[in-house]
Amino acid sequence: MKVRLFLPLIAAILYTLFGLANDSSFNAPENQNTENASKKVVFMIADYLSFEDLEKQESMKWLLDNSYLALLNNRQNGRPSPYKAKAILGAGRRVEMPSDMLGGGTGRKWHDLYRINNGQLQPSHRPVFPQISKLISLNSSEGYDKRIGYLGDAIHSQGGKTCFIGNADSSLPNRSTILIPMDRSGAVDMGDTETLSAADNRYPYSIRTDYSKLEELYKQFLPASSFLVIETGDLERLEKNRSNMSPAQYQAGKQLILDDISRFLKGLADSAAAEAGSPEPVVILLSSYPASDRYDKGDRLTPVIVYDGVNRGILFSSGTRREGIVLNTELADYILYKLGMLKRSPIEEKGSTESLSFITELNGKTLAVSRLRLPVLTSFAVFVILSLLLCFLALINPFLLRSRFGSVIRVLVRMNLLGPLLLLVLPAYLFKKPLLFAALFFLSIAFLSIIMFRLKTALKVEICAICLATVLTLALDISAGSPLIKYSVIGYDPIIGARFYGVGNELAGVFVGCSILLTGAMKEIYHKKIKAGYVIIGHTAFICLLGLSFWGANLGGALAAFTGYYSFLLLSCSRKGRIRQFVLLPLILAGLIALLVYIDSYMGSKVSHVGLFFQDIQQNGIDVLLSTLYRKTAMNFRLIRYTIWTKVLLCIIFILITTYFKPVGVVRRVFRAQPYLKAGWISATAASICGFLLNDSGIVLAATAMIYVVFTLLLVCFDSMAIPEEINQRGI
């Protein structure tokens, strides 16, 4: 067997080793924190806050200037709620929590209800959650029932004690914060939920949290507890009564409450500092859910503040791979790490003296891109559909191509091919209004398309140039840690939280479609100078860029790419070589998948969602796989129904079918004249089908990949239709 048959495998191994050698996450030491851990964590819930609210409060300045700061992604499955947010914090997974299960505490009625529901008795001093059995049953269908009470169970397994103080009662009881420290039995070791409310007509419902009583209980329970959770409650009541208040009165009420919280925290810090010899507990102030006005505007990232009395800086998340944005599912393990009960944490602490300004700028950029993303992508998708409709008119009436309308059509085709590249490189965070960004975007691609049209370059060279620019920009950006993708409207949205790093399905489709057609166009230009071995090495590098966890982290996109590359090699090589590739390449695919999964799951300190998925299967069995398949299939069908990319893909399919019949013989003539582009079109279509089937939002990948198939095909067909072959001086 010839040596060149081993080139793909050698290239994959070398490329992987190169990545491992240059990726700090694979060389980083374990975060050992057992000896230096505080052993006590105080966790304060103050919902409906933003960093902007805190910055306005002079009384909060000392806390912001002396803490680790981050923005919390509070993504939830299904309909979001502040109650579900607490359940997720305690479970470390996105569990379900209905809004009619908010009761619990130390009162006798809660213990009686707990005994009736669960057939067990708990000591009267222990806060209990009476509907624990119902909550476990509710989450059993998704396979998350084992995660209920995770944080409390983990603390108990290490000999620690939990405590819960406070309530958010208004006209109805609200003790949902008990979901954070409780164990699987629905109980907390100690606490008080009944004696902290004081009558005060300055506050909503004439109730406020009695902070003097809260401080007294804090000092009583802290010595015996490892993890102490405090529900401040007043902000919850304020938000619930917001619809009855004027904006000025709402802000005045918020300032009053924040002053109370700040004084309480300052008192805790001063008393801890005065107690020489005893370690100061870590205080985590967290808003688990945004205020309604911010939520409606898309501003949904909430504050996380970690105060240890010594350090300050920014929190870094291995789940988001970003400084300053952490996941709600990571905080449970971070708390265990701070307690000295875990050796490694998904959240790291990085020192900084400019943490507040960094967080403010990060939130501003993220929010700007998030607000632009949907309207800009929708406008581009509509533009693609309208362009395809105009192309349809040209297909059924070829004489239009010989008029000025034909020039407009050719420019529109080029605009669609350049669109994704411009969406990637334009700095979206500089624009506050979608209309301004959309205007700049369309003017830019129109200007570039007109220049390309006027240059009268051979079409295969144009296709090669567009695809090369797109693939090269994406490859360099992925290799550099995705600085463009992170703030691109065609990238991903950290606020929505479907993806935080790597390559999303929109750009995976762009990368796959472009790279296949780039290969076809280069083969058309250079013919036999580009050997199959070089093509295989290049394609293997592209698969690594898409699939490896420290780069693209898109296994579905990598599999779609392999399908397209495999198809291209089979279609473009000789019959003798085709048999070898047919047998060899699937073996390489299996080896690459195994290598990607192994590296992601076991060789890195920062594991991607794919690695975590396989680790979860190992720990919890086949149910995890089945529930994930069900959830992803349901998401794909939901996207097919609602996303505009479905309409884009249907229009593309309609146009491709039309080109086969109208005008008669044009596609066959083009296929005969351009065999390598033909192989690229067919292969990119195969990759799109594979991407559609293997991704939970595969419709997006398929649509963006097929944009390059349909518009490059139309570009060549229109040129062939408008000018007779024998006098075609441009060349196709």
Side-chain angles (χ1 to χ4, degrees):
M1 186 178 291
K2 295 183 178 179
V3 175
R4 69 184 180 87
L5 294 179
F6 292 99
L7 285 175
L9 189 57
I10 295 170
I13 294 172
L14 290 175
Y15 206 70
T16 301
L17 292 176
F18 175 81
L20 291 176
N22 286 277
D23 187 78
S24 59
S25 67
F26 284 81
N27 298 315
E30 252 189 11
N31 289 330
Q32 296 289 344
N33 196 43
T34 307
E35 295 180 0
N36 299 320
S38 165
K39 308 299 185 187
K40 290 185 185 295
V41 171
V42 178
F43 195 79
M44 287 188 64
I45 291 291
D47 281 344
Y48 309 111
L49 284 180
S50 68
F51 273 110
E52 185 178 341
D53 294 328
L54 296 172
E55 283 185 89
K56 291 177 182 177
Q57 299 296 124
E58 189 65 29
S59 58
M60 282 289 182
K61 190 175 187 308
W62 70 273
L63 183 66
L64 296 174
D65 289 343
N66 296 281
S67 304
Y68 289 108
L69 308 180
L71 296 162
L72 178 71
N73 175 278
N74 38 60
R75 183 190 175 200
Q76 304 172 19
N77 292 332
R79 177 171 294 184
S81 75
Y83 321 116
K84 193 184 294 185
K86 274 96 168 176
I88 292 171
L89 291 173
R93 289 289 187 276
R94 294 192 178 100
V95 296
E96 291 296 329
M97 170 65 188
S99 58
D100 60 349
M101 294 166 54
L102 308 182
T106 52
R108 180 173 178 178
K109 68 175 183 178
W110 305 119
H111 278 264
D112 290 343
L113 188 58
Y114 181 89
R115 176 181 52 80
I116 292 169
N117 290 346
N118 305 292
Q120 299 177 17
L121 288 172
Q122 293 285 354
S124 59
H125 68 276
R126 301 188 71 182
V128 294
F129 179 65
Q131 293 176 298
I132 183 65
S133 296
K134 183 178 178 180
L135 182 62
I136 291 173
S137 176
L138 181 68
N139 285 277
S140 60
S141 60
E142 291 292 330
Y144 289 145
D145 53 311
K146 297 176 183 178
R147 298 292 303 196
I148 302 299
Y150 165 76
L151 185 52
D153 283 339
I155 292 172
H156 289 159
S157 69
Q158 297 290 324
K161 297 292 184 181
T162 56
C163 177
F164 173 56
I165 306 172
N167 67 68
D169 298 350
S170 54
S171 56
L172 295 172
N174 182 356
R175 315 294 177 76
S176 57
T177 303
I178 197 175
L179 296 163
I180 299 172
M182 74 177 188
D183 59 18
R184 189 170 173 79
S185 70
V188 182
D189 292 311
M190 63 194 83
D192 190 332
T193 61
E194 310 302 319
T195 65
L196 289 106
S197 299
D200 193 326
N201 58 16
R202 297 176 301 163
Y203 292 77
Y205 302 97
S206 296
I207 302 171
R208 68 169 174 84
T209 298
D210 186 343
Y211 282 95
S212 60
K213 180 65 175 178
L214 182 59
E215 186 173 354
E216 177 186 325
L217 290 171
Y218 170 83
K219 292 178 179 179
Q220 174 187 335
F221 289 120
L222 182 64
S225 60
S226 308
F227 180 50
L228 191 151
V229 177
I230 298 173
E231 169 60 82
T232 56
D234 288 335
L235 287 166
E236 184 86 31
R237 287 183 279 269
L238 179 71
E239 187 69 20
K240 189 172 182 180
N241 193 51
R242 183 173 188 171
S243 60
N244 301 318
M245 304 173 72
S246 68
Q249 189 62 21
Y250 173 81
Q251 291 300 327
K254 181 176 282 189
Q255 180 173 344
L256 186 65
I257 293 168
L258 287 176
D259 285 340
D260 291 341
I261 294 173
S262 178
R263 280 193 297 270
F264 174 72
L265 286 170
K266 196 73 169 69
L268 297 189
D270 293 341
S271 63
E275 295 178 10
S278 60
E280 186 170 354
V282 173
V283 178
I284 302 176
L285 177 65
L286 178 138
S287 176
S288 68
Y289 199 76
S292 57
D293 60 331
R294 291 187 177 277
Y295 188 92
D296 293 340
K297 293 176 183 177
D299 190 1
R300 301 174 187 178
L301 301 179
T302 52
V304 180
I305 302 171
V306 180
Y307 175 79
D308 62 10
V310 179
N311 303 298
R312 60 179 177 172
I314 298 165
L315 299 180
F316 173 86
S317 162
S318 61
T320 66
R321 299 189 188 175
R322 292 172 181 241
E323 290 184 356
I325 301 179
V326 300
L327 299 176
N328 52 3
T329 53
E330 296 176 318
L331 283 169
D333 283 340
Y334 176 64
I335 289 166
L336 293 174
Y337 171 72
K338 298 300 289 184
L339 289 169
M341 297 176 181
L342 280 183
K343 291 183 178 180
R344 291 168 59 179
S345 168
I347 297 175
E348 300 174 14
E349 298 163 349
K350 297 192 173 185
S352 173
T353 58
E354 303 292 335
S355 51
L356 183 57
S357 59
F358 175 85
I359 291 294
T360 303
E361 182 182 357
L362 173 66
N363 192 46
K365 286 183 176 180
T366 304
L367 184 59
V369 175
S370 179
R371 287 173 174 169
L372 288 177
R373 190 172 188 273
L374 181 60
V376 170
L377 286 182
T378 301
S379 64
F380 178 63
V382 170
F383 178 75
V384 172
I385 292 171
L386 293 176
S387 300
L388 290 171
L389 292 177
L390 292 175
C391 290
F392 173 73
L393 295 177
L395 287 172
I396 61 176
N397 188 3
F399 292 102
L400 291 174
L401 292 172
R402 297 173 186 175
S403 64
R404 289 192 175 183
F405 180 78
S407 299
V408 173
I409 288 291
R410 290 183 176 82
V411 170
L412 285 176
V413 169
R414 290 168 172 84
M415 287 175 68
N416 283 276
L417 292 172
L418 288 168
L421 176 60
L422 268 292
L423 288 175
L424 174 64
V425 300
L426 287 177
Y429 59 85
L430 296 178
F431 296 84
K432 293 185 178 180
K433 294 184 178 180
L435 186 60
L436 291 176
F437 181 84
L440 175 64
F441 165 67
F442 284 112
L443 286 173
S444 299
I445 57 175
F447 176 73
L448 293 174
S449 299
I450 291 170
I451 290 176
M452 294 188 73
F453 177 68
R454 293 292 184 187
L455 289 176
K456 304 295 183 183
T457 311
L459 292 184
K460 55 192 173 187
V461 176
E462 279 194 40
I463 294 170
C464 184
I466 293 172
C467 292
L468 179 62
T470 305
V471 170
L472 190 60
T473 303
L474 267 172
L476 291 173
D477 190 59
I478 294 168
S479 302
S482 307
L484 291 177
I485 296 175
K486 285 179 181 178
Y487 295 108
S488 166
V489 293
I490 201 172
Y492 29 77
D493 186 352
I495 295 177
I496 296 174
R499 175 178 279 270
F500 298 92
Y501 55 84
V503 180
N505 282 327
E506 293 92 345
L507 285 174
V510 170
F511 191 85
V512 171
C514 265
S515 58
I516 293 172
L517 288 168
L518 171 64
T519 308
M522 290 185 73
K523 288 283 284 183
E524 289 290 352
I525 297 169
Y526 298 105
H527 301 292
K528 295 182 179 180
K529 291 182 180 180
I530 299 179
K531 304 295 183 183
Y534 301 140
V535 173
I536 293 173
I537 291 175
H539 285 175
T540 305
F542 292 156
I543 291 172
C544 289
L545 275 174
L546 275 178
L548 285 174
S549 63
F550 46 83
W551 281 321
N554 193 321
L555 184 60
L559 293 176
F562 180 87
T563 302
Y565 301 154
Y566 179 43
S567 301
F568 183 86
L569 286 167
L570 289 179
L571 292 170
S572 61
C573 65
S574 63
R575 182 172 298 180
K576 181 180 178 182
R578 194 174 299 169
I579 297 173
R580 285 201 304 266
Q581 308 294 357
F582 185 81
V583 175
L584 181 65
L585 292 179
L587 297 177
I588 296 173
L589 171 64
L592 273 177
I593 294 172
L595 185 64
L596 295 179
V597 171
Y598 180 77
I599 290 171
D600 194 16
S601 302
Y602 303 107
M603 292 182 65
S605 61
K606 295 182 176 69
V607 183
S608 78
H609 58 287
V610 176
L612 290 173
F613 172 61
F614 281 97
Q615 289 180 5
D616 206 7
I617 291 175
Q618 280 190 326
Q619 294 171 5
N620 300 306
I622 196 68
D623 289 344
V624 174
L625 175 62
L626 296 176
S627 66
T628 301
L629 288 175
Y630 172 79
R631 190 169 63 253
K632 287 184 177 292
T633 302
M635 183 182 294
N636 219 349
F637 278 110
R638 189 161 58 247
L639 273 174
I640 290 171
R641 184 176 178 183
Y642 294 112
T643 183
I644 195 170
W645 292 112
T646 302
K647 300 177 180 64
V648 171
L649 186 59
L650 289 175
C651 288
I652 289 172
I653 293 170
F654 173 73
I655 292 297
L656 289 176
I657 293 172
T658 303
T659 57
Y660 191 78
F661 296 101
K662 286 281 187 177
V664 177
V666 171
V667 168
R668 293 187 183 91
R669 187 164 69 244
V670 168
F671 279 6
R672 285 196 303 270
Q674 313 294 326
Y676 294 114
L677 278 176
K678 171 189 173 183
W681 290 320
I682 296 173
S683 302
T685 303
S688 300
I689 295 171
C690 178
F692 172 76
L693 296 174
L694 294 179
N695 283 273
D696 53 1
S697 52
I699 187 73
V700 178
L701 188 153
T704 53
M706 290 300 292
I707 285 174
Y708 292 91
V709 173
V710 69
F711 284 110
T712 52
L713 178 61
L714 287 171
L715 196 63
V716 177
C717 286
F718 286 161
D719 197 80
S720 180
M721 290 161 56
I723 306 172
E725 278 189 300
E726 61 271 19
I727 60 170
N728 185 355
Q729 297 178 356
R730 284 170 56 95
I732 60 172

